Amino acid sequence: MRLILVGPPGAGKGTQAVLLASHYNIPHISTGDIFRANLKGGTELGTLAKSYMDKGELVPDTVTNEMVKDRLNQDDLANGFLLDGFPRNVFQAEVLRAILAEKHTSLDAVLELSIDDQEIISRISGRRTCRNCGATFHTVNAPSKVEGVCDNCQGELYQREDDKAEVIQRRLEVYSEQTKPIIAFYRGEGLLISIMALGEVSEISQRSIAALSAVIS
Ligand code: AP5
């Protein structure tokens, strides 16, 4: 199973990716998480990525593509992978196709999570992320048991810099201008499956698995 999750910021890609990766027993590769892990580790890549992420802009393609290529060359991908947050423009989609072609393989499906702007703002503004393990919660929809404390590892929960109101707007513009064109790209390749991402988290994952099982044997 080689799968991509695509959708606007806050659509629930990270939330669904964890469930789908576990269901299909494949690694979840999130470029946003890799950048945040680098930032936490104080690497040069993390510092560079932060300067773009905090403004809601994409990290330059050269850096991102190289990072993804390295990750796809690791040897834990025998069962496939679930990419979350990559590709984010048509150039990255073309680079991904070339990386996979070099390995004599290709994608099985691209799952689009559709959601309206009002729900996006509500989901993003209430999101809290664990500084330690990266797990996400929501102040209303999915609160942690103890306010400000991660249920999984007791790490501190914080609001991402790019989840603040002034940055959300720019992230939505970037999605619309740069990322949305990959939907048409993958529709053209016959790989696109779209589902409505409104409802309970478990309902959405069931909807996703049902939609994927219709196209993947
Ligand atoms: P990234 O981390 O990928 O952010 P994103 O795509 O904007 O997605 P989010 O993490 O904001 O949202 P999500 O869809 O995962 O939603 P979640 O499940 O958390 O990227 C961040 C930045 O990194 C980019 O802006 C860019 O700068 C850089 N970057 C990353 N990849 C790049 C690339 N390929 N090229 C260049 N730059 C790149 O859910 C959101 C909230 O809603 C949570 O609180 C959750 O609890 C809640 N929620 C989830 N599902 C539901 C539901 N069904 N009902 C109610 N609430 C729900």
Side-chain angles (χ1 to χ4, degrees):
M1 169 68 98
R2 286 172 294 275
L3 178 64
I4 289 179
L5 269 190
V6 63
K13 300 183 296 297
T15 303
Q16 292 303 323
V18 170
L19 299 170
L20 293 174
S22 160
H23 178 84
Y24 293 111
N25 190 26
I26 49 178
H28 167 206
I29 303 173
S30 156
T31 41
D33 286 351
I34 300 176
F35 288 135
R36 282 184 288 277
N38 272 276
L39 181 59
K40 187 171 168 228
T43 71
E44 215 175 293
L45 172 63
T47 309
L48 174 84
K50 179 177 164 51
S51 66
Y52 293 92
M53 292 167 84
D54 285 358
K55 289 185 286 194
E57 303 293 339
L58 297 187
V59 178
D61 287 341
T62 42
V63 176
T64 308
N65 290 339
E66 210 43 49
M67 181 178 89
V68 170
K69 189 171 181 184
D70 283 351
R71 180 63 188 89
L72 292 179
N73 277 329
Q74 290 171 15
D75 47 15
D76 59 337
L77 307 180
N79 287 340
F81 54 77
L82 191 167
L83 270 174
D84 156 17
F86 185 94
R88 253 183 157 90
N89 58 35
V90 171
F91 179 59
Q92 291 185 3
E94 284 166 346
V95 167
L96 176 62
R97 186 168 55 187
I99 293 171
L100 296 178
E102 263 179 38
K103 297 173 175 299
H104 309 289
T105 185
S106 58
L107 293 169
D108 293 307
V110 175
L111 183 68
E112 179 196 12
L113 301 183
S114 292
I115 180 179
D116 57 65
D117 279 9
Q118 210 180 341
E119 177 71 10
I120 289 174
I121 308 276
S122 137
R123 286 192 190 177
I124 295 189
S125 50
R127 174 168 48 198
R128 297 294 179 269
T129 303
C130 177
R131 253 188 222 291
N132 185 45
C133 72
T136 55
F137 298 86
H138 190 280
T139 48
V140 179
N141 305 332
S144 56
K145 289 189 187 112
V146 178
E147 193 183 334
V149 179
C150 176
D151 288 354
N152 303 340
C153 72
Q154 276 68 56
E156 181 202 357
L157 300 184
Y158 77 110
Q159 185 175 34
R160 275 168 44 179
E161 208 48 52
D162 61 344
D163 280 355
K164 300 196 169 147
E166 57 280 16
V167 187
I168 295 176
Q169 201 48 46
R170 181 61 194 145
R171 287 167 64 199
L172 289 174
E173 286 164 10
V174 168
Y175 179 76
S176 179
E177 290 159 13
Q178 300 184 48
T179 306
K180 240 181 168 174
I182 71 171
I183 308 262
F185 176 92
Y186 284 124
R187 187 177 292 118
E189 303 240 307
L191 290 170
L192 190 74
I193 300 169
S194 295
I195 61 152
M196 272 310 294
L198 282 176
E200 294 291 320
V201 168
S202 59
E203 279 169 19
I204 298 165
S205 62
Q206 283 163 18
R207 213 175 288 159
S208 303
I209 291 165
L212 287 166
S213 65
V215 294
I216 292 162
S217 49

